[in-house]
Amino acid sequence: MTLTDPYNDTVRACFEKPGHAGDLQGEYAQSLEASAASSDQGMTVALSVGISDGMIVEMRFRAWACPHLIAAAQMLCADRQGRLTDSLQQFDVNGVMQQLSIPVEKTGRVLLLEDAVTSLWQQYTKLCKTDSGTG
Amino acid sequence: MTLTDPYNDTVRACFEKPGHAGDLQGEYAQSLEASAASSDQGMTVALSVGISDGMIVEMRFRAWACPHLIAAAQMLCADRQGRLTDSLQQFDVNGVMQQLSIPVEKTGRVLLLEDAVTSLWQQYTKLCKTDSGTG
Amino acid sequence: MSNGPIYLDYAATTPPDPRVLHVLQDSLGQTGSFANPSSIHAAGRQSAAMVAIARTQVAELLNTRQERLIWTSGATEANNLAIQGVANAREHRGKHLISMATEHKSVVDTFAALEKRGYKVTWLKPDGSGRLLLDSLSQAIRPETQLVSVMHVNNETGVIQDIHKIGMLCRERDVLFHTDAAQSVGRLAIDLAELPVDLLSLTAHKFYGPQGIGALFVADRPAVQLSPIMFGGGQERRLRPGTLPVHLIVGAGAAARIAADEMHENLSHMTAMRDRLWNGISDLDDLIRNGLPVHCYPGILNVSADGVEGESLMLGMEPVCVASGSACNATSGESSYVLRALGRDDLLAQSAVRFSFGRPTTAAEVDTAIDRYRWSVEHLRGIAPAKTGLLLK
Amino acid sequence: MSNGPIYLDYAATTPPDPRVLHVLQDSLGQTGSFANPSSIHAAGRQSAAMVAIARTQVAELLNTRQERLIWTSGATEANNLAIQGVANAREHRGKHLISMATEHKSVVDTFAALEKRGYKVTWLKPDGSGRLLLDSLSQAIRPETQLVSVMHVNNETGVIQDIHKIGMLCRERDVLFHTDAAQSVGRLAIDLAELPVDLLSLTAHKFYGPQGIGALFVADRPAVQLSPIMFGGGQERRLRPGTLPVHLIVGAGAAARIAADEMHENLSHMTAMRDRLWNGISDLDDLIRNGLPVHCYPGILNVSADGVEGESLMLGMEPVCVASGSACNATSGESSYVLRALGRDDLLAQSAVRFSFGRPTTAAEVDTAIDRYRWSVEHLRGIAPAKTGLLLK
Ligand SMILES: Cc1ncc(COP(=O)(O)O)c(C=O)c1O
Ligand SMILES: Cc1ncc(COP(=O)(O)O)c(C=O)c1O
């Protein structure tokens, strides 16, 4: 008997031990926060990044969310941490949904996460314009 | 498990071997026939009696009927045969229904039988008036 | 079984196949799942998976997709949902409906209830063989006709209607077509990918599944709109609420699979049993076979015997269990409206016996049935007045 | 069972009691009878006898007579039959109906369907403890009111309504009273000889009987007129057509008898399990117990936890199977309307967990549930933004 388990192993692992949940641990030259919430689903996701020299040194999330969205946030943070801030420019909604086997009805929730990332990137580019030369 | 058998042993026995079914076998000084039928139920019962010296020498029935009515007719014939013609005056509807455990919804069918007996008795008294002195 | 009842009433209901019994027991026991398939927890998901498998099994029997099936408590409910459902959903388009006089009570009475609510129902009569004449259907269809409901196999006579042609005609004339296939699903091949049928009712207890579970097939066409007749949770695409009975559904699925696998073999067996029975009794005087054999499902043999009363015939047949042409309720005295529609008078209809055969039926059982039938007919004719029902005619 | 799911969702559905399983197996096997109880042959009569015994068993559980019960496919159908049935039968007398916002979907949606057909429905709100205030009912009753429907035990919170007082008020004011007792039959003592109840719905799968069978009690009073919602054979006093599912009915009867015999003992067990669970979690911050305990059936414990999302809570609880305050359908995102009617906001309603206990529940299972609940709440609160749902309020 195969069960139609709505959560794949990655989702379960991220849910069980979301290593990037919480607030920034270190102190950073630049730190940014962004969050997004949906009124109909009641989901909330907040991201924070610590940046040094154009690098994402630390990335954290907080979420009041379903397991899929928690897992997506956890994966995002784990992936971006250690990469260039440029990586905040891209967010592959379809890729995330596929990797986490997120049902199509939940697309809206993944888009929330995209909103938060986009917001981070916009804040970052604004910041760069203000104190130009640091970026 | 007790089954709610609609037919008691007497009904079953009468149905299986209705010794009085058929036509009169002998030749009688007086023989009478009567029948009754109901249009709604489709039941038909016909009685015939062979009478000698005020005695019912033979009594027979024919029926296109349910097992209860067949049994009632058989019982009636068996009971009256050998008795005085006077016995055609009485027909105990309740007694028959009780003895054969006939459900109350079938009362109408037993009344058919009563009609046929009554008709026999009426014919008989008429007959007596006509050839008075024989009775 | 030697002294117990001999069951030849498989058109009324079939016992669960031993393999279905096994599946039912498993499903009710430790390896099964009783949880509510709507629950999101693991036990609920296991139930949902079992329900999905069973739905696919029934869908495969009919060559359709599992999403097209709505579980119901049986064919009665499926018929009610189809007929009331279409009538209510399409009320604004027109209130004319068409069915046949020989339909099952659950179709007849549902239409009759709609008549009381102001619908016009045209009741078509079959020809003497029991079949619907396409011409009469064609003439009955009006611009405001919403639904035609004609059963596949008749439960009393076994007469098979040509649902392909009927469905084609309905499609041409833009009318929905429902068929009560309670007697044919699992017994005759039905290919819903081919058949122009919009709604089809079935019930598991007619094909060796458990009692209390059936389904309505709903074709994937925009025209097929249904209103629910019961309201509640969102189960079954909002068409049929209530906790899904997992073990019954699993049992229905298993029964469907077995029926699909063994259909051909079952049909040959039915034919052999029916022919054996008919050969054993057909020399009796004044028997009438109801339903033209060439158009009949071979699992049913319906015979009227002049001069014999129905209830007495049933008692004479003991220990053979068969159905009678008089109403189920012995004391209602009503004779079969199906047989009367075929031209039998009241007395002939009442004298009818429906023999119906099943997988477990043996030649020895059929032979006992032959003996009992011969005895009963001769015995009762011996008791009956010379001219049956003379007083009544 | 060590690694398998731990089932604490007995308010959703209960597994058949092992003794009921046994009866089901017997009923499906050689010693039972599958024949149609409407058939007049010996096999049919055996089925009818079995159905009669089971009907008496259920009647005895409720202290009523067996003729008062109509078999249905479950409580959803019984609720629909009661509510639609009264509305349709008494339409000419008035089209006002009264119910509560906290009823089961099968009651709420049935009334909602009647609203669409032009009926006026007054939806009463419970007080914060979940109970109906008699005053508000009294004020809602109008001369044209036909029916009041208030459930006995709420399926989410376990809140028990005082159906005796409600029924008395209805009698005084000459209004029919229906109660959905799906959650109380077989769990709490119900004496229909005493209770002023006109219609009562039940379902066997909530008291360790099989799924797919329920009943509607219909009081023997001239005022209680019902129209059927399905049409067909004359079964069940013409109120509910369809072949009676013999094994399900026999199973329901057996379950009723066991429930009657062991009610007291079951209730003590429920109370012990519930109190153990609550004692194990009540020191967590910001928990809210839904439903005032003194008015609650002890088999249900419903708790909201601030700052915790429902679906994640369900996953965190694994392998413990409990029900959530978010809709069955995880992606609908709808939170419990029952809890919202008790004054919980969306987020608190969504965070609710319904633990429900059964005969098989063990202290060890409850302890696992405690562990998993504590872990989940703390884990999810650790992940959540400082101010839950801040952005939403
Ligand atoms: C042709 C037909 N339709 C409908 C039904 C009703 O089926 P169910 O008993 O599952 O409601 C039956 C059998 O009883 C039948 O033979
Ligand atoms: C209070 C209540 N009413 C009605 C129902 C519906 O019962 P069923 O699933 O038997 O239709 C349920 C359970 O699902 C319930 O808890």
Side-chain angles (χ1 to χ4, degrees), chain B residues 20-28 30-33 47-51 57-62 81:
Chain B
H20 289 264
D23 306 312
L24 294 180
Q25 309 281 300
E27 303 261 313
Y28 302 99
Q30 295 169 320
S31 73
L32 299 170
E33 283 180 29
L47 299 174
S48 51
V49 281
I51 297 173
V57 183
E58 189 180 354
M59 186 162 181
R60 298 267 168 191
F61 77 96
R62 286 196 168 274
Q81 185 166 311

Side-chain angles (χ1 to χ4, degrees), chain B residues 12-86:
Chain B
R12 288 180 172 275
C14 291
F15 176 84
E16 193 80 11
K17 291 211 171 60
H20 289 264
D23 306 312
L24 294 180
Q25 309 281 300
E27 303 261 313
Y28 302 99
Q30 295 169 320
S31 73
L32 299 170
E33 283 180 29
S35 59
S38 82
S39 57
D40 61 330
Q41 311 277 12
M43 301 287 134
T44 308
V45 59
L47 299 174
S48 51
V49 281
I51 297 173
S52 277
D53 296 325
M55 285 275 290
I56 300 170
V57 183
E58 189 180 354
M59 186 162 181
R60 298 267 168 191
F61 77 96
R62 286 196 168 274
W64 188 95
C66 72
H68 286 115
L69 186 46
I70 290 175
Q74 161 65 21
M75 260 208 348
L76 171 76
C77 295
D79 177 73
R80 298 303 194 273
Q81 185 166 311
R83 288 172 62 184
L84 292 174
T85 48
D86 281 10

Side-chain angles (χ1 to χ4, degrees), chain C residues 11-12 73-77 79 104 106 151 153 155 180 182-183 203 205-206, chain D residues 242-243:
Chain C
S73 61
T76 295
E77 186 183 335
N79 287 338
H104 186 261
S106 55
M151 74 203 310
V153 168
N155 49 303
D180 173 359
Q183 290 288 343
T203 186
H205 74 87
K206 305 273 187 190
Chain D
T243 306

